């Protein structure tokens, strides 16, 4: 069975499982993370000019310099220390951060990566560095006794999202069905709404929003294993309701060969496109608090870099206002 036949067989079974249609977040999980057919797990070619999309660390060292200064300001005065990067891409940022930190009192660097393709690239890039790899954050934390600094750049955007649309009578939720062999949008009246700050606002009919409920579930799984350190989350987005300012169609989109695709284009070419949405940092903070992690209000990337520049300007370019940076720490009072 070739790839196309395998894809058709899997999709047929998936839609039969859902009675003809499946909720969008369940569908989004598969084209991104299916072990054999998913974009990140099997089909991603590269990140940068030769890939489907690029990230800022591929071209700039400013972020690595800022993150290294943030880590240096918090590292323990003596003894070994650990840094865990989740979703490290090709390892470009990891290598740049380690170079900025230098070899003296460098941390043991841990990478959490589920993509075999990207893990291979990371290992080649970091082959002379003290680094370890893990399949999930919980096992990475357990390997260091729960004491670590956690960093991520453009991680949250890749979590599957539920999609809702405001109507005059309430909310509808997006499902995916099949018609003529193609995936199509199907809207159904929403049942119980998930916990999200996006529902705290009075939207006009037609407004679409995304809720990354999968991120809430993910953070709840590993947070009890985190004992000390600090967390730095960097991603593009904003707090609610600003994340949807002038975006009545929401922020859901896909990328292929650096082309931005919206609407039906998001559903096409199963497993061959990156699918994402802007990060609602109000939800990130809410979900972290529920998991026993206290977060500071997010700041723009430009503000974060200015605060870590230590006398010299770190340029953020066009990413200065588009990216948000949020810091968090374990909150044992919240955990009870």
């Amino acid at each position: 069975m070739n790839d196309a036949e395998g894809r058709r067989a899997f999709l047929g079974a998936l839609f039969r499982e859902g009675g003809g249609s499946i909720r969008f977040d369940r569908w989004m999980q598969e084209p991104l993370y299916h072990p054999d057919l998913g974009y990140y797990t099997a089909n991603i070619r590269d990140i940068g000019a030769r890939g489907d999309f690029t990230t800022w660390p591929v071209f700039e060292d400013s972020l690595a310099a800022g993150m290294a200064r943030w880590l240096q300001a918090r590292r323990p005065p003596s003894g070994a220390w650990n840094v865990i990067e989740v979703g490290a891409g090709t390892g470009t940022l990891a290598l740049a951060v380690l170079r900025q930190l230098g070899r003296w009192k460098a941390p043991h660097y841990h990478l959490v990566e589920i993509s075999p393709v990207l893990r291979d690239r990371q290992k080649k890039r970091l082959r002379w560095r003290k680094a370890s790899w893990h399949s999930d954050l919980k096992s990475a934390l357990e390997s260091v006794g729960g004491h670590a600094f956690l960093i991520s750049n453009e991680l949250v955007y890749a979590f599957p999202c539920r999609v809702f649309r405001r109507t005059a009578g309430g909310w509808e939720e997006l499902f995916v069905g099949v018609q003529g062999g193609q995936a199509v949008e199907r809207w159904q009246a929403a049942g119980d709404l998930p916990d999200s700050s996006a529902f705290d606002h009075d939207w006009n009919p037609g407004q679409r929003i995304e809720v990354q409920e999968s991120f809430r579930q993910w953070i709840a799984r590993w947070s009890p294993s985190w004992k000390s350190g600090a967390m730095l989350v960097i991603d593009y987005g904003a707090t609610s309701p600003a994340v949807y300012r002038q975006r009545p169609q929401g922020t859901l989109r896909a990328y292929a060969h650096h082309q931005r695709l919206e609407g039906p284009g998001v559903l096409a070419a199963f497993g061959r496109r990156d699918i994402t949405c802007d990060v609602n940092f109000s939800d990130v903070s809410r979900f972290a608090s529920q998991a026993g992690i206290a977060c500071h209000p997010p700041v723009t990337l430009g503000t974060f870099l200015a605060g870590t520049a230590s006398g010299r300007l770190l340029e953020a370019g066009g990413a200065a206002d588009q990216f948000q940076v949020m810091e968090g720490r374990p909150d044992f009072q919240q955990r009870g």
Side-chain angles (χ1 to χ4, degrees), residues 316-330:
D321 296 322
Q322 298 172 5
F323 279 69
Q324 299 286 311
V325 182
M326 177 176 281
E327 182 177 349
R329 294 180 180 273

Side-chain angles (χ1 to χ4, degrees), residues 2 11 24 34 41 54 72 79 166 194 218 221 227 230 242 291 296 309 318 320 329 332 334:
N2 60 36
L11 285 172
F24 182 80
H34 185 281
T41 49
T54 191
Q72 286 173 329
R166 182 70 177 178
W218 175 75
R221 285 197 295 271
K227 308 304 180 186
H296 296 298
R329 294 180 180 273
F332 296 103
Q334 178 70 20

Side-chain angles (χ1 to χ4, degrees), residues 146-150 226-231 328-330:
H147 305 287
F149 294 90
L150 315 180
W226 191 29
K227 308 304 180 186
S228 71
M231 174 178 75
R329 294 180 180 273

Side-chain angles (χ1 to χ4, degrees), residues 32 34-47 51-53 88-91 113-125 133 271-272:
L32 289 182
H34 185 281
D36 302 315
L37 304 172
Y39 178 77
Y40 284 114
T41 49
N43 295 319
I44 189 170
R45 299 170 302 163
D46 205 349
I47 296 173
D52 290 307
F53 63 95
T90 60
E113 184 57 65
I114 65 170
S115 168
V117 177
L118 294 177
R119 183 182 287 212
D120 286 345
R121 295 208 173 111
Q122 294 164 10
K123 287 185 174 180
K124 290 177 182 177
R125 185 153 279 146
W133 277 262
R272 301 289 180 178

Side-chain angles (χ1 to χ4, degrees), residues 133-178:
W133 277 262
H134 309 267
S135 59
D136 60 80
L137 182 49
K138 186 173 187 287
S139 62
L141 284 165
E142 290 172 348
S143 75
V144 297
H147 305 287
F149 294 90
L150 315 180
I151 60 175
S152 69
N153 175 61
E154 295 184 65
L155 168 74
V156 185
Y157 87 99
F159 277 79
C161 61
R162 297 174 68 178
V163 181
F164 296 87
R165 181 172 66 183
R166 182 70 177 178
T167 71
W171 288 96
E172 294 177 331
E173 183 164 9
L174 179 61
F175 283 67
V176 179
V178 62

